[in-house]
Amino acid sequence: MAAAGAPLGALGPSEAAAAARALSLPAEAYGNDPNVEMMWAMKAYQHAEVYFNLISSVDPKFLNLTKVDDQIYGEFRKTFSDLKIDVLDPEELKSEPAKEKWRPFCMQFEGVVEDFNYGTLLRLDCSKDYTEENTIFATRIQFFAIEIARNREGCNNIVYTSAKNPASAGAMEAASA
């Protein structure tokens, strides 16, 4: 059995299958089981790592994250036309007024986007990597909406260009410090 805190890649086939089965059960079946929380955290971190590597190696303007990117982006900008997406304010996602606005937006993607309401990690400042200070929990559809907008509106270009030109990455870090 893989040790707690080990990367998901350290899981053997039977352990990975057991983890997948456990994560597919309804939440009520677990209460606050720390093993399930650890598996969820590892899955969320792996997703974040894969996504960041993707936008570091492929020009974000060419990325499609779902089959319905156009629909997600259109509804997102119709509902959140003034939302500043380069550097997110957590209150724009988590405050009660924000939740009242986000809830109907998210629910329209039930049955359209698989696992639309699963928890995932979202970067607050799109010019920076996933760190404890730069990460917030969000639903998967919030992640898709914001990251599709960041890709289409050029906000994630800094990650891609910094990865292509490591010298500019140092300059970017110094400027944002």
Side-chain angles (χ1 to χ4, degrees):
M1 179 147 251
L8 284 178
L11 295 177
S14 62
E15 293 167 316
R21 278 192 303 279
L23 291 172
S24 68
L25 293 173
E28 302 81 46
Y30 294 104
N32 289 329
D33 184 336
N35 292 326
V36 172
E37 290 179 15
M38 179 59 72
M39 285 188 285
W40 176 85
M42 288 189 308
K43 184 177 178 179
Y45 178 78
Q46 183 184 39
H47 175 265
E49 188 175 47
V50 167
Y51 181 70
F52 196 81
N53 288 339
L54 186 63
I55 62 172
S56 296
S57 57
V58 176
D59 189 337
K61 70 181 171 204
F62 296 116
L63 286 178
N64 281 316
L65 303 181
T66 74
K67 293 178 182 178
V68 292
D69 280 14
D70 292 340
Q71 179 185 355
I72 293 169
Y73 181 71
E75 292 298 325
F76 173 69
R77 278 309 186 195
K78 186 166 68 173
T79 305
F80 299 97
S81 59
D82 296 330
L83 183 65
K84 186 175 174 242
I85 58 170
D86 57 343
V87 180
L88 296 170
D89 176 355
E91 288 297 307
E92 294 286 340
L93 297 167
K94 302 293 183 183
S95 70
E96 279 308 313
K99 287 179 183 179
E100 290 301 315
K101 198 169 181 182
W102 276 104
R103 194 169 292 113
F105 171 82
C106 294
M107 293 308 296
Q108 70 183 316
F109 292 100
E110 184 174 17
V112 176
V113 174
E114 186 178 350
D115 302 331
F116 78 103
N117 63 346
Y118 274 31
T120 191
L121 302 175
L122 179 65
R123 294 171 300 140
L124 292 171
D125 182 339
C126 70
S127 70
K128 298 178 182 175
D129 203 333
Y130 287 90
T131 63
E132 188 173 338
E133 301 78 28
N134 193 44
T135 305
I136 190 170
F137 291 110
T139 64
R140 190 170 191 196
I141 192 61
Q142 286 175 308
F143 168 86
F144 282 142
I146 290 167
E147 289 297 340
I148 290 166
R150 284 174 167 175
N151 291 341
R152 290 186 176 195
E153 296 173 19
C155 298
N156 279 333
N157 287 351
I158 192 164
V159 173
Y160 176 66
T161 56
S162 294
K164 283 180 56 174
N165 182 3
S168 68
M172 178 182 78
E173 285 298 318
S176 65

